[in-house]
Amino acid sequence: MDALKAIMTRRSVRDFKHDPVSKDDVQVLLKAGMQAPSAKNEQPWHFVVIDDLDLLHAIPEFHPYSKMLLDAPLAILVCSVLDLEKSSAVQDCSAATQNILLAAHAKGLGAVWLGIYPNEKRVSGVEALLELPEDIYPVSLIAVGHPASQPEPKDRFKEDRVHFNSW
Ligand SMILES: Cc1cc2nc3c(=O)[nH]c(=O)nc-3n(C[C@H](O)[C@H](O)[C@H](O)COP(=O)(O)O)c2cc1C
């Protein structure tokens, strides 16, 4: 899929078949994440691939908007090695997250970004569940799977949000 088409047609998928995501596809998603731009090219990210169903099913206990994980075969946690409040790691990890969403869409998979940081309950929930070290900071979680249904693309362009040279 061409990059612009992927950007224009990507939607959040929250309805998954139970089929697993192949190892090759997971590798493509991780490579896409690590291709993201980052401040000073620090690439502060680490990725935790979660395909243990018991772990996936435990996440909605502390994350109220993650119920699709009861059906998804996989999720990827994007974390940082840099303190999120003292660095550009939130932006860096967000760029990696968006790359993974677009790569999933381009591969015919479905995915949805689940916010973790800065919600304290979600941060401490994933830290405990996935046994993250003290100096690893979770930013976002991405549910991934084969779509059981695919939302239609939406045109969100708004002329009045664009300013040329001055406001
Ligand atoms: C920072 C961030 C956090 C989000 N958190 C959640 C979430 O916890 N649960 C969820 O179902 N969707 C979440 N989303 C997805 C948004 O709801 C979705 O992107 C938005 O409604 C636009 O729809 P679209 O992705 O289909 O274009 C999040 C998106 C972002 C960027």
Side-chain angles (χ1 to χ4, degrees):
M1 189 186 291
D2 149 88
L4 202 53
K5 183 167 183 207
I7 291 168
M8 293 306 191
T9 60
R10 182 216 57 82
R11 293 292 315 280
S12 292
V13 170
R14 299 183 176 84
D15 188 13
F16 297 106
K17 297 178 186 167
H18 290 285
D19 312 346
V21 178
S22 73
K23 282 207 165 86
D24 285 352
D25 281 351
V26 172
Q27 184 71 4
V28 169
L29 301 185
L30 296 170
K31 282 190 158 201
M34 293 189 210
Q35 284 302 123
S38 60
K40 295 184 265 171
N41 195 22
E42 275 192 287
Q43 304 171 41
W45 39 61
H46 276 240
F47 301 85
V48 183
V49 178
I50 312 160
D51 62 1
D52 177 320
L53 295 185
D54 289 338
L55 292 175
L56 291 171
H57 295 178
I59 294 169
E61 287 168 21
F62 56 82
H63 189 316
Y65 307 110
S66 68
K67 304 260 186 291
M68 75 295 287
L69 292 174
L70 300 175
D71 292 318
L74 188 95
I76 299 173
L77 181 74
V78 185
C79 334
S80 165
V81 293
L82 296 177
D83 188 321
L84 302 178
E85 279 160 31
K86 298 179 191 151
S87 72
S88 300
V90 174
Q91 293 93 315
D92 303 335
C93 289
S94 297
T97 303
Q98 176 71 355
N99 269 14
I100 292 174
L101 293 181
L102 289 170
H105 181 51
K107 293 290 291 178
L109 295 165
V112 57
W113 180 328
L114 305 177
I116 299 294
Y117 179 82
N119 183 292
E120 282 175 22
K121 191 174 165 208
R122 299 179 201 173
V123 168
S124 58
V126 285
E127 281 174 346
L129 184 70
L130 305 178
E131 301 174 0
L132 301 186
E134 284 258 313
D135 52 355
I136 293 295
Y137 305 88
V139 176
S140 60
L141 185 66
I142 307 156
V144 185
H146 295 273
S149 63
Q150 179 78 57
E152 285 297 312
K154 272 194 184 156
D155 183 349
R156 294 186 173 132
F157 184 75
K158 294 188 178 80
E159 197 82 56
D160 64 356
R161 300 293 180 93
V162 184
H163 311 270
F164 290 96
N165 296 323
S166 62
W167 191 271

